[in-house]
Amino acid sequence: MKVSVDRSLCYGSAECAYRAPAVFAFEDGYGVVRPGAAQAADGPQVREAVEKCPSQAIVLTEREEREE
Ligand code: SF4
């Protein structure tokens, strides 16, 4: 899975950075995926962050096999 944050939906609660600090950071008022963490994001903390994001701004997508 690949994780990303839709900045147009994020309203900056910082929940994601609090729940999964290895994957998310909080920068300039938005949740962001840490560099290099996008592809490694399939743990329970990340799933919890996805579920608890108050604006459903965190998006998990299937990894595209051919990309790697
Ligand atoms: S939990 Fe959701 S709304 Fe809050 S900072 Fe993260 S992406 Fe943005």
Side-chain angles (χ1 to χ4, degrees):
M1 301 293 264
K2 183 175 190 292
V3 68
S4 57
V5 172
D6 183 339
R7 202 170 263 221
S8 68
L9 295 177
C10 171
Y11 68 66
S13 70
E15 288 270 336
C16 53
Y18 171 73
R19 289 180 194 281
V23 174
F24 301 100
F26 190 65
E27 285 177 9
D28 301 328
Y30 296 98
V32 296
V33 178
R34 289 188 185 278
Q39 299 289 349
D42 200 17
Q45 281 188 329
V46 172
R47 293 195 175 267
E48 190 181 326
V50 172
E51 284 171 20
K52 304 284 173 148
C53 170
S55 60
Q56 281 94 51
I58 305 173
V59 183
L60 277 178
T61 48
E62 293 291 336
R63 209 189 292 221
E64 287 181 36
E65 308 263 328
R66 287 168 190 263
E67 241 176 28
E68 293 186 25

